[in-house]
Amino acid sequence: MRKNFRVLGTVFALALAVTAGCAATGGNAQSSVTSETQAETAVEPGKETAAGGQSGSGGQSGSGNQAGSGNQSGSGNQTGSGTHTESASLTEKPVKDMAGRDIQVPDVVKSVYSTSPVGTNFMYTFDDRMVAGLNVDLSDEEKRFTTEYYQNLPNLGGWYGKGNEGNIEEIIKADPDLVLASGVDRSSIDTADQLQEKLGIPVVLIDTDFDSMAESYRFVGQITGNVERGEKLAAYTEETIQRAREITASIPEDKRVTVYYAEEALGLNTDPSGSPHSRLIDLCGGINVADCEISPGYGRTEVSMEQVIAWDPQFIIACVDNGFADSGSYSAIMNNSQWAVIRAVKDGHVYETPTVPQNWFDRPPSVNTIIGIKWVQNLLYPEYTDYDIKEETKAFYSLFYHYDLSDSEVDSLLARSLRAQ
């Protein structure tokens, strides 16, 4: 049944490509998904190169001697999470995805293509060797802390951001068992149904919203038959978020500190409280000083230097903006005399977001921000936390990124991100 479904999908795709005269670009593929989650993670063409296609945050370096496990060879610090082999499951089982759609999926799932970088990043953390293909070419910085298997995957494109589309023919050739898409709203459901018809491959919707992340890990664990892995990642995610809320609840109001989130090269773009892009400040008990409108989608509300001076934050978190800006704002803030009058600068409380292989704070607002919760709360309230952030970083990278960091790599990642000892 599934093979017949795929043949029909292939015929549909090829006919579509001939009609449109664009077989090389995957034909008349569905345009970008418009769910709220995907709007938050949309990228500007020619700028951001991935859900994590960012540049490193100052002086970061990898070991340059990485190799994966399983069928990967070489020596180094990488540890692949699975032993992917080609599957040809001829039997199916009914499932209800996280949007409530009833679909048939293979009994055996070994290969998954995700329609956006957020989903691909999610599947990489679940099992790097289950990822069927990438949505973008990886940057050198991403390659430093990802497995060799993942680095060598083909770029199949994807449906995200403005005008990006997947390559229908190449996705069908890759023959994934499942397609994973993000979003549970009506638009996402319609898009998933149309894409499933084009590909002839089951399209499963998951909810990549921050508070649904643990549930998504459990769901993927169930449909792929690796319940233990799904539960392990879900438990870490839930415990981290719950612990952050407990710590925040214990901080007296008069002990709360004010925070400004500085974005773009000059640091004069930001996201106020309530924005998905600044939610770690809210979650971790900080007071977001930005008194401005929330900009939908990309965020980054533009503000003036005079406004920031008037807000006078105690802490500044400087974003390395993953390709949206020419560079991170840390250097501009530290080297411009206009910023010198602000308390955060005078007191030495300007910190840069760690970014490799994904930004810990934002962009994308996905699983990469889970370690960012511990980093932000430890940064703002060390007296209320008991984290050894360097050890927490090692544990997170090992569990989620399949990479065992050396002490020097941890120091490089956190070079501008920790309080002075």
Side-chain angles (χ1 to χ4, degrees):
M1 175 179 173
R2 181 173 170 235
K3 292 299 180 183
N4 290 338
F5 194 28
R6 286 195 176 184
V7 169
L8 289 173
T10 304
V11 171
F12 182 92
L14 291 174
L16 183 64
V18 170
T19 302
C22 56
T25 59
N28 186 25
Q30 179 65 28
S31 60
S32 59
V33 179
T34 56
S35 69
E36 179 179 352
T37 299
Q38 289 163 321
E40 292 170 3
T41 58
V43 295
E44 297 176 5
K47 292 187 177 182
E48 187 166 2
T49 59
Q54 69 273 12
S55 58
S57 59
Q60 297 172 345
S61 63
S63 63
N65 190 27
Q66 302 170 351
S69 66
N71 295 329
Q72 301 175 38
S73 61
S75 60
N77 293 332
Q78 289 185 8
T79 56
S81 65
T83 54
H84 171 69
T85 57
E86 293 300 322
S87 68
S89 176
L90 299 179
T91 59
E92 297 178 328
K93 59 187 176 185
V95 301
K96 188 182 292 290
D97 70 12
M98 295 183 72
R101 296 163 63 245
D102 292 308
I103 54 177
Q104 296 285 326
V105 302
D107 278 330
V108 178
V109 176
K110 294 291 185 180
S111 176
V112 178
Y113 164 75
S114 300
T115 61
S116 73
V118 168
T120 299
N121 184 34
F122 180 93
M123 278 308 304
Y124 172 79
T125 62
F126 183 82
D127 186 340
D128 59 314
R129 297 182 70 82
M130 290 189 74
V131 179
L134 305 175
N135 309 109
V136 294
D137 295 327
L138 297 178
S139 69
D140 289 341
E141 293 299 325
E142 285 178 291
K143 291 179 180 178
R144 289 181 177 180
F145 299 113
T146 52
T147 62
E148 183 178 359
Y149 172 85
Y150 186 71
Q151 295 169 22
N152 291 322
L153 288 170
N155 179 357
L156 304 178
W159 289 264
Y160 63 95
K162 295 180 178 179
N164 293 299
E165 294 186 353
N167 189 321
I168 294 289
E169 290 185 20
E170 293 303 315
I171 295 168
I172 292 173
K173 286 180 184 178
D175 196 32
D177 299 309
L178 287 180
V179 172
L180 200 68
S182 303
V184 295
D185 63 354
R186 183 71 255 172
S187 176
S188 298
I189 291 171
D190 292 342
T191 299
D193 290 341
Q194 294 170 28
L195 185 58
Q196 182 168 282
E197 182 180 357
K198 290 180 180 181
L199 292 173
I201 303 170
V203 177
V204 175
L205 286 171
I206 63 170
D207 189 349
T208 52
D209 183 72
F210 191 71
D211 289 322
S212 301
M213 212 173 295
E215 183 184 353
S216 294
Y217 274 127
R218 290 192 176 99
F219 173 73
V220 170
Q222 290 170 357
I223 64 173
T224 62
N226 195 344
V227 174
E228 182 179 357
R229 176 65 177 171
E231 180 57 36
K232 183 178 291 187
L233 297 177
Y236 183 101
T237 300
E238 281 182 336
E239 290 167 7
T240 299
I241 294 173
Q242 180 58 33
R243 178 59 180 150
R245 287 173 174 152
E246 291 171 355
I247 292 172
T248 294
S250 73
I251 303 170
E253 288 297 326
D254 62 354
K255 298 294 184 181
R256 303 287 178 96
V257 296
T258 56
V259 185
Y260 174 71
Y261 179 37
E263 300 177 273
E264 298 284 357
L266 299 179
L268 294 177
N269 292 76
T270 193
D271 286 286
S273 179
S275 167
H277 299 293
S278 60
R279 61 186 164 193
L280 293 198
I281 298 174
D282 298 332
L283 176 63
C284 295
I287 300 171
N288 192 329
V289 298
D291 182 13
C292 57
E293 295 294 324
I294 294 178
S295 295
Y298 299 122
R300 300 180 183 82
T301 301
E302 186 173 353
V303 297
S304 68
M305 189 74 245
E306 290 73 22
Q307 285 176 295
V308 181
I309 292 172
W311 294 331
D312 197 24
Q314 294 168 273
F315 285 76
I316 294 175
I317 293 176
C319 182
V320 177
D321 219 2
N322 295 358
F324 277 101
D326 292 335
S327 63
S329 56
Y330 181 90
S331 294
I333 292 169
M334 298 302 291
N335 296 313
N336 188 323
S337 60
Q338 289 183 296
W339 290 86
V341 301
I342 296 172
R343 275 189 295 174
V345 179
K346 290 190 291 186
D347 295 341
H349 288 318
V350 179
Y351 304 98
E352 189 171 64
T353 55
T355 60
V356 182
Q358 304 287 334
N359 190 313
W360 287 18
F361 189 88
D362 184 21
R363 320 229 182 263
S366 185
V367 296
N368 41 289
T369 63
I370 299 301
I371 183 60
I373 294 171
K374 295 183 176 182
W375 168 65
V376 170
Q377 201 153 48
N378 184 72
L379 191 68
L380 302 182
Y381 303 107
E383 65 275 29
Y384 290 93
T385 61
D386 56 1
Y387 299 132
D388 180 334
I389 198 61
K390 292 186 177 182
E391 291 304 313
E392 294 288 346
T393 300
K394 288 183 178 180
F396 181 85
Y397 274 59
S398 180
L399 179 60
F400 284 79
Y401 291 147
H402 326 299
Y403 189 92
D404 294 326
L405 291 164
S406 67
D407 289 341
S408 62
E409 287 171 334
V410 174
D411 290 340
S412 177
L413 280 168
L414 301 173
R416 295 175 169 179
S417 307
L418 298 180
R419 288 192 183 212
Q421 300 296 318

